[in-house]
Amino acid sequence: MFQTAPIEAASQSELTSQIAARLHTALTTHLQQAYAPDQRKNLRLFSATETADLLGVTGQFLRKCHSDGSLPEPEVIKNGRRFYSGEEILQARHFLEASSRKSGKYLPGRREGDKLQVIQLMNFKGGSAKSTSAIHLCHYLALNGYRVLAIDLDPQGSLTGFCGIQTELEFEGASIYDALRYEDPVPMSEAIVETYFPGLHLAPARLVLSEFETETAVNAGRGVAFFEKLSLAIQSVEGDYDVVVIDSPPALGFLTLTGLYAATSVIVPMTPSMLDLASTQQFVEMTSAYLGVIEDTGVKLDHDFFSFLITRDDPSDIPSQQIVSLMRALFQDRVVGATGLRSTAIGDASMLKMSIYEVARSEMTRSTYDRAKNSMDAVGAEIAGMLQQAWGR
């Protein structure tokens, strides 16, 4: 039970300590109720219709593959209906790719000679749906056959929570900080964990990651280059992935800059309001100044794309649509054509640290669910197309 009695404290430190303790209890109770008994998230099953859509085939083709033995039957069959786990969908991709005449039809990731794609989502304006956009992009790409590594560079660990690791419940594993720290860093491979979501791995964040900012300030005075630390860490594992998605903190500090140096592409999520537009302008101006400092050291930065993503878009809100139109007029194709819609379906899913892809259509009003999912699908498909273009396809 939550404590509801008034908090009485003799000092400010005691007051904040009691507030933190109550919040910890509330979070722990909520997470233990929301997750399985072992405190691990589990990905739902997908219907045959959903699976066929994900694979880009017809239901008839899928049934034929099962009947002729080219695809194994899924483990769960209820009332004659097939339901597929995420792992079974990924296995189906490998089976179908092996017999496909067109390379990359079912596994569209890197081919020989393709460079690893590293996408950084960044903005120092809180509430820009940066972490929500990051997890939806990760889940979309993983469901569509890409090998994805998510890197959480935000000490608050929002992306880590979305990926099923709850630092609030005393997670003690290695984190991205352990791979970036200046004293005795661990290999990047030791800071990466598998998630419950097939095709998606995670380099999690813990609050200690904030120490990187302090340590970098100290070491920078000694002439130690900080900006290449993440890039070098990623290089050590790049053969295992097609795409890396980095969720940056809402600040333009050393963590964001080391991510920016490692990135091959940048996406700036922003909500369509005048306040957010002004904040984004300042953010991009400061980013330019910092990039100039890095380039003055002789380093050449070359991003495949630097794009804006409109989030929490409400087509019925006239003032916000004026901002969207302004952004498109100013930057044309540097604004992702699809937008992340403002949706109660996405908001409700986020409250449980889930993406829309983890929610069954039957659990929500179908029109609301379809609208939200179609929005996220459109954003994911457009960014996937940008990745394919970067690979020269």
Side-chain angles (χ1 to χ4, degrees), residues 336-376:
V336 177
T339 64
L341 295 181
R342 182 186 298 276
S343 169
T344 56
I346 295 173
D348 290 348
S350 297
M351 287 288 290
L352 294 174
K353 297 191 176 180
M354 300 168 69
S355 77
I356 195 67
Y357 299 108
E358 299 177 80
V359 181
R361 188 169 181 252
S362 59
E363 296 176 7
M364 293 184 174
T365 303
R366 292 191 172 186
S367 59
T368 302
Y369 177 88
D370 290 344
R371 182 170 172 268
K373 183 176 179 298
N374 290 341
S375 167
M376 293 297 101

Side-chain angles (χ1 to χ4, degrees), residues 13-81:
S13 62
E14 185 179 342
L15 172 65
T16 54
S17 175
Q18 290 186 40
I19 291 173
R22 284 199 183 185
L23 286 172
H24 176 77
T25 300
L27 281 169
T28 300
T29 302
H30 168 73
L31 292 170
Q32 288 174 340
Q33 291 173 345
Y35 288 77
D38 61 359
Q39 297 173 5
R40 291 181 179 274
K41 289 179 73 176
N42 296 298
L43 183 59
R44 68 177 177 90
L45 297 176
F46 293 82
S47 69
T49 300
E50 290 177 301
T51 300
D53 287 342
L54 285 169
L55 296 174
V57 301
T58 64
Q60 182 180 7
F61 177 82
L62 194 59
R63 289 191 295 272
K64 177 181 176 296
C65 288
H66 288 306
S67 64
D68 65 20
S70 57
L71 280 182
E73 289 281 2
E75 185 175 337
V76 177
I77 301 178
K78 299 178 181 178
N79 299 322
R81 300 177 60 194

Side-chain angles (χ1 to χ4, degrees), residues 113-187:
D114 291 341
K115 71 177 181 181
L116 177 71
Q117 292 296 311
V118 182
I119 304 174
Q120 167 144 310
L121 284 84
M122 54 185 282
N123 198 331
F124 68 13
K125 176 68 171 65
S128 63
K130 180 174 52 60
S131 297
T132 301
S133 300
I135 194 59
H136 279 88
L137 179 58
C138 287
H139 284 179
Y140 176 88
L141 293 174
L143 282 172
N144 282 275
Y146 293 86
R147 301 172 300 163
V148 184
L149 171 62
I151 297 180
D152 193 349
L153 283 187
D154 188 347
Q156 297 178 84
S158 296
L159 187 62
T160 299
F162 271 123
C163 287
I165 295 179
Q166 305 307 320
T167 55
E168 301 95 333
L169 299 181
E170 310 303 330
F171 165 65
E172 296 293 345
S175 69
I176 187 61
Y177 169 75
D178 297 296
L180 297 180
R181 66 191 184 202
Y182 289 84
E183 297 292 333
D184 300 319
V186 305

Side-chain angles (χ1 to χ4, degrees), residues 124-125 270 273-284:
F124 68 13
K125 176 68 171 65
M270 60 167 290
S273 72
M274 189 56 69
L275 182 62
D276 282 75
L277 182 63
S279 176
T280 299
Q281 183 274 326
Q282 295 173 347
F283 174 72
V284 175

Side-chain angles (χ1 to χ4, degrees), residues 173-202:
S175 69
I176 187 61
Y177 169 75
D178 297 296
L180 297 180
R181 66 191 184 202
Y182 289 84
E183 297 292 333
D184 300 319
V186 305
M188 182 64 166
S189 59
E190 295 183 16
I192 295 173
V193 296
E194 292 187 20
T195 71
Y196 65 96
F197 209 101
L200 175 61
H201 290 180
L202 169 72

